[in-house]
């Protein structure tokens, strides 16, 4: 089994070799795709968004304008910075702030599906944050401080664990069938492997392919015409899934990090 998996990884590496230089940029764009889409949706549905905030969520008129405007500004600017690899730490914290603020503003704090999906989106952002970690001199040598390499390892671990929540939420949502049960078992096995860092790149690539296909068939918002309300929800789920796919792609590119079975195995 070990020989088979090693051979399979070598084949995937050879096939994907031409794409390797472009994977980090692709993954960054996909990770922030949901924020770009959300900001454009707010702009194109500005009146509907204001109406919802004021009449359903009881926001004062001026505050609703301010909240939506700030959301659009932060999402577009932070997403651009992450794609351009500029001031990424501040950009990531800004987008995390958007996730938290929207959960409260839209009354989705206790919505399990929303919660799990956004955990995965945060996982992708944390993967980007771990990539930005570089070795720097400690400002206060006499004080105990965590090294940049250790921070990166813990961030990579947190990012890996958070990424799998989207699939976990999807696996237990909807009607069951034999095919769905079989697919869910394989998917959950791959999620566990990603979380512990066992054959992490291979497992992450499987989830990239699986989630991409599933996303096209399940969240096909372009085929829904009778209700733009339903179309908006499907589009939102589609782009959130894309962001999670971007997180897994970044994992494929950077590896699982030091706190993983794959890395520990290299030490022996």
């Amino acid at each position: 089994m070990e020989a088979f998996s090693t051979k399979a990884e070598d084949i995937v590496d050879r096939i994907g070799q031409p794409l390797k230089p472009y994977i980090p940029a692709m993954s960054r764009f996909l990770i922030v795709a949901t924020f770009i889409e959300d900001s454009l949706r707010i702009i194109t549905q500005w009146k509907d968004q204001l109406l919802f905030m004021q009449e359903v969520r009881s926001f004062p008129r001026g505050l609703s304008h301010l909240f939506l405007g700030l959301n659009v500004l932060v999402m577009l600017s932070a997403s651009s910075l992450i794609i351009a690899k500029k001031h990424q730490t501040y950009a990531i914290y800004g987008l995390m702030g958007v996730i938290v603020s929207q959960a409260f503003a839209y009354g989705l704090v206790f919505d399990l599906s929303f919660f799990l999906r956004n955990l995965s989106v945060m996982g992708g952002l944390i993967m980007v944050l771990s990539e930005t970690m570089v070795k720097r001199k400690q400002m206060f040598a006499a004080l105990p401080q965590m090294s940049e390499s250790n921070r990166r390892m813990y961030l990579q671990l947190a990012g890996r664990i958070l990424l799998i929540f989207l699939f976990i939420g999807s696996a237990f949502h909807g009607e069951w069938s034999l095919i769905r049960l079989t697919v869910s078992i394989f998917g959950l096995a791959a999620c566990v492997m990603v979380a512990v860092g066992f054959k992490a790149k291979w497992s992450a690539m499987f989830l990239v392919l699986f989630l991409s296909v599933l996303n096209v068939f399940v969240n096909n918002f372009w085929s829904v015409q009778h209700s733009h309300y339903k179309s908006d929800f499907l589009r939102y789920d589609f782009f959130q899934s894309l962001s999670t796919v971007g997180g897994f792609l970044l994992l494929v590119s950077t590896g699982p990090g030091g706190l993983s079975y794959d890395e520990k195995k290299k030490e022996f």
Side-chain angles (χ1 to χ4, degrees):
M1 185 64 181
E2 180 70 23
F4 171 78
S5 62
T6 302
K7 186 175 181 180
E9 286 179 354
D10 291 339
I11 292 173
V12 171
D13 283 340
R14 285 200 299 270
I15 295 174
Q17 192 68 34
L19 294 175
K20 275 189 175 181
Y22 307 102
I23 288 179
M26 289 170 54
S27 62
R28 286 168 178 276
F29 177 77
L30 290 176
I31 286 170
V32 299
T34 187
F35 299 102
I36 296 174
E37 185 278 332
D38 195 26
S39 61
L40 295 178
R41 180 170 53 86
I42 291 175
I43 293 172
T44 56
Q45 300 177 6
W46 183 257
K47 290 184 178 179
D48 291 337
Q49 292 289 324
L50 286 176
L51 190 66
F52 176 83
M53 297 301 293
Q54 292 169 14
E55 296 195 2
V56 178
R57 299 300 300 163
S58 301
F59 268 55
R61 181 178 176 82
L63 185 59
S64 61
H65 283 77
L66 179 62
F67 176 78
L68 292 174
L70 282 176
N71 268 258
V72 170
L73 178 63
V74 172
M75 287 191 289
L76 287 179
S77 58
S79 297
S80 300
L81 289 172
I82 288 174
I83 293 172
K85 301 178 71 171
K86 304 289 185 182
H87 308 291
Q88 295 174 94
T89 302
Y90 299 110
I92 291 166
Y93 290 152
L95 293 180
M96 287 183 176
V98 167
I99 292 174
V100 175
S101 65
Q102 286 191 351
F104 284 98
Y106 287 95
L108 296 170
V109 176
F110 300 107
D111 186 308
L112 184 60
S113 177
F114 177 87
F115 180 72
L116 293 176
R117 284 180 169 276
N118 277 284
L119 281 181
S120 291
V121 173
M122 280 200 174
L125 292 174
I126 290 175
M127 291 298 296
V128 176
L129 184 62
S130 70
E131 193 189 24
T132 66
M133 293 292 175
V134 294
K135 293 184 177 180
R136 293 179 296 191
K137 294 182 179 180
Q138 293 186 357
M139 294 180 62
F140 305 101
L143 297 177
Q145 296 183 23
M146 186 180 293
S147 67
E148 293 294 322
S149 59
N150 285 339
R151 288 182 188 175
R152 183 174 184 180
M153 286 193 301
Y154 285 112
L155 286 173
Q156 286 173 314
L157 174 63
R160 293 200 319 264
I161 293 173
L162 291 177
L163 278 172
I164 67 175
F165 278 101
L166 179 138
F167 183 85
I168 292 175
S170 300
F172 295 100
H173 181 73
E175 298 181 1
W176 287 97
S177 64
L178 181 60
I179 296 176
R180 187 161 184 264
L181 178 62
T182 304
V183 169
S184 295
I185 290 173
F186 279 104
L188 289 173
C191 286
V192 172
M193 292 169 69
V194 165
V196 301
F198 175 67
K199 299 294 180 184
K201 288 187 176 183
W202 174 256
S203 304
M205 181 55 71
F206 169 79
L207 288 171
V208 165
L209 297 174
F210 178 78
L211 288 174
S212 297
V213 173
L214 185 68
N215 199 24
V216 170
F217 284 99
V218 174
N219 297 319
N220 52 343
F221 65 90
W222 52 87
S223 66
V224 178
Q225 298 178 359
H226 64 278
S227 171
H228 80 85
Y229 179 76
K230 183 179 179 182
S231 176
D232 281 348
F233 270 96
L234 288 175
R235 185 170 61 179
Y236 181 77
D237 288 348
F238 178 86
F239 281 95
Q240 281 210 316
S241 297
L242 273 189
S243 293
T244 303
V245 167
F248 282 120
L249 260 184
L250 194 57
L251 174 58
V252 172
S253 175
T254 62
L259 295 176
S260 64
Y261 179 87
D262 291 344
E263 292 299 318
K264 295 298 181 184
K265 188 178 178 181
K266 293 178 182 179
E267 298 175 3
F268 296 99

